[in-house]
Amino acid sequence: MKQDTKVVTAGRHPELFHGAVNPPVYHASTILFETMAEFESRKPGPGTMFYGRHGTPTTFALEEAIAILEGGAAQCTLYPSGLASCTAVLLAFLEAQSHLLVADCVYGPTRRFCDRVLTRFGVEVTYFDPAIGGAIETMFKANTKAVFLESPGSLTFEIQDVPEIAAVARRHGAVTILDNTWATPLFFKSLEKGVDVSVQAATKYIVGHSDAMLGVATSNADAAETMRRGALEIGFCAGPDDVYLAQRGLRTMAVRMRRHQETATELATWLARRPEVSRVLYPALPGDPGHALWRRDFTGASGLFGVILKPASTPAVAAMLDGLELFGMGASWGGFESLITPTHPERSRSATLWRPEGPSLRIHAGLEDVDDLKKDLDAGFTRLRTAA
Ligand SMILES: *Cc1c(COP(=O)(O)O)cnc(C)c1O
């Protein structure tokens, strides 16, 4: 079955729900048992109703769908946010005195969790250059338990050599965890590339409409039990309405992703030629430092990319952004609408220097008409030049 068909069919069981196309929203904490014998022999596990926190048919449907899209993975678990999926997976695989290797370009809140929470529990965290590739071997220690990747990186969009790094990690008995939010399993098959646990902020492209918070993590057979127990033991479960919105959003994700890619590619190409722009950070563009790895490992690019402007004053950038009509300004991305924000990647690096030559922006290309988006940005550049 082709991927687009799987996006539509995976995890759907209308026969279980009186023929309804989508699973109903189960609001449940208590699950009742008929007899003492049934209650006492209950076995919590994936797919079984036991207690609300352990899942319902609403959550099982989404877990099954994501596991299929991630390439028939052993286990998918849901979390109340994307950040919760990152933190719970890290907690599940680490213990006091463990050593953790983290790409220097990871999502800011993931980094803060490593620095402020994991270190309090005696985990040693080392950041590495996202371009390190197989040379990561020299950073492994006897107690290295996990490697955390995010490819491309948040804000700076460096592609990592995931297969190479995962192969080294495996040789050293460490798990590889990848934040796959940008590409989604539609454009990057984490587990096939050697990753043990693939995490996504479903808040972004899976939900796709900027109206729910949700995280998902999917693992291969070896990591399945540790990952699932890690989520249960910490008490994480996702709200039924948000899970419903995610499975609803998922059904149109393949179509949306293609359009996000098309518009982002056109905007990125157009921006790269603008006199006000120094560089565009989008691995799908030929000439991007990550382009060769992106072509080798990915089957597409999503709608999120970075722009570094030529030197400009803060008031000039503010004049550009404040007057935009179609680009909203706000955290998150992956919805149907275009967004733009100023970014400051240089504030959260330690293994590598990030010295942008001008102000940094992050753009999410939404589903609007690309010519309208260009007009909006063009007017923004006029304000930038006039204010400068
Ligand atoms: C947004 C994001 C997260 C966190 O997701 P939330 O649902 O906002 O908690 C994690 N990783 C990446 C790469 C993200 O962009």
Side-chain angles (χ1 to χ4, degrees), residues 152-234:
S154 273
L155 309 183
T156 46
F157 301 91
E158 299 98 322
I159 297 282
Q160 287 122 73
D161 192 336
V162 175
E164 185 70 27
I165 293 172
V168 174
R170 180 144 308 178
R171 280 205 297 282
H172 287 265
V175 291
T176 302
I177 304 161
L178 170 79
D179 185 329
N180 197 27
T181 303
W182 183 86
T184 83
L186 303 193
F187 291 159
F188 186 82
K189 293 275 182 256
S190 309
L191 305 187
E192 279 173 21
K193 307 283 180 214
V195 168
D196 296 287
V197 183
S198 179
V199 173
Q200 292 173 78
T203 306
K204 311 288 166 58
Y205 283 123
I206 296 176
V207 166
H209 294 71
S210 309
D211 53 4
M213 305 292 304
L214 191 74
V216 300
T218 317
S219 77
N220 59 23
D222 291 345
E225 191 49 25
T226 307
M227 183 190 78
R228 195 185 69 83
R229 265 198 288 113
L232 277 180
E233 282 161 0
I234 205 166

Side-chain angles (χ1 to χ4, degrees), residues 8-219:
V8 171
T9 58
R12 280 182 45 217
H13 300 285
E15 71 284 1
L16 299 181
F17 310 118
H18 304 280
V21 169
N22 291 330
V25 183
Y26 279 75
H27 280 273
S29 53
T30 298
I31 307 298
L32 298 173
F33 294 79
E34 287 286 324
T35 63
M36 179 172 151
E38 272 180 49
F39 183 75
E40 297 223 285
S41 63
R42 69 202 191 277
K43 275 211 189 69
T48 0
M49 292 283 274
F50 165 74
Y51 179 53
R53 198 196 310 125
H54 294 239
T56 67
T58 314
T59 63
F60 302 149
L62 182 64
E63 287 170 356
E64 183 185 337
I66 304 288
I68 290 169
L69 292 173
E70 287 273 18
Q75 174 79 43
C76 171
T77 304
L78 309 183
Y79 303 81
S81 72
L83 180 60
S85 60
C86 298
T87 60
V89 169
L90 283 166
L91 282 174
F93 287 93
L94 297 168
E95 58 198 31
Q97 323 306 331
S98 299
H99 177 229
L100 167 69
L101 286 166
V102 182
D104 208 21
C105 56
V106 292
Y107 181 62
T110 302
R111 187 179 182 110
R112 275 194 290 282
F113 174 78
C114 294
D115 291 345
R116 295 188 189 165
V117 181
L118 289 181
T119 52
R120 276 202 278 126
F121 294 91
V123 174
E124 184 192 349
V125 182
T126 309
Y127 292 92
F128 62 86
D129 182 347
I132 198 166
I136 197 169
E137 183 110 43
T138 60
M139 302 188 79
F140 276 79
K141 306 184 189 190
N143 58 340
T144 306
K145 288 274 164 57
V147 181
F148 193 99
L149 306 172
E150 184 184 320
S151 180
S154 273
L155 309 183
T156 46
F157 301 91
E158 299 98 322
I159 297 282
Q160 287 122 73
D161 192 336
V162 175
E164 185 70 27
I165 293 172
V168 174
R170 180 144 308 178
R171 280 205 297 282
H172 287 265
V175 291
T176 302
I177 304 161
L178 170 79
D179 185 329
N180 197 27
T181 303
W182 183 86
T184 83
L186 303 193
F187 291 159
F188 186 82
K189 293 275 182 256
S190 309
L191 305 187
E192 279 173 21
K193 307 283 180 214
V195 168
D196 296 287
V197 183
S198 179
V199 173
Q200 292 173 78
T203 306
K204 311 288 166 58
Y205 283 123
I206 296 176
V207 166
H209 294 71
S210 309
D211 53 4
M213 305 292 304
L214 191 74
V216 300
T218 317
S219 77

Side-chain angles (χ1 to χ4, degrees), residues 156-159 280-292 294:
T156 46
F157 301 91
E158 299 98 322
I159 297 282
V280 172
L281 314 172
Y282 189 49
L285 286 195
D288 185 276
H291 187 66
W294 174 78

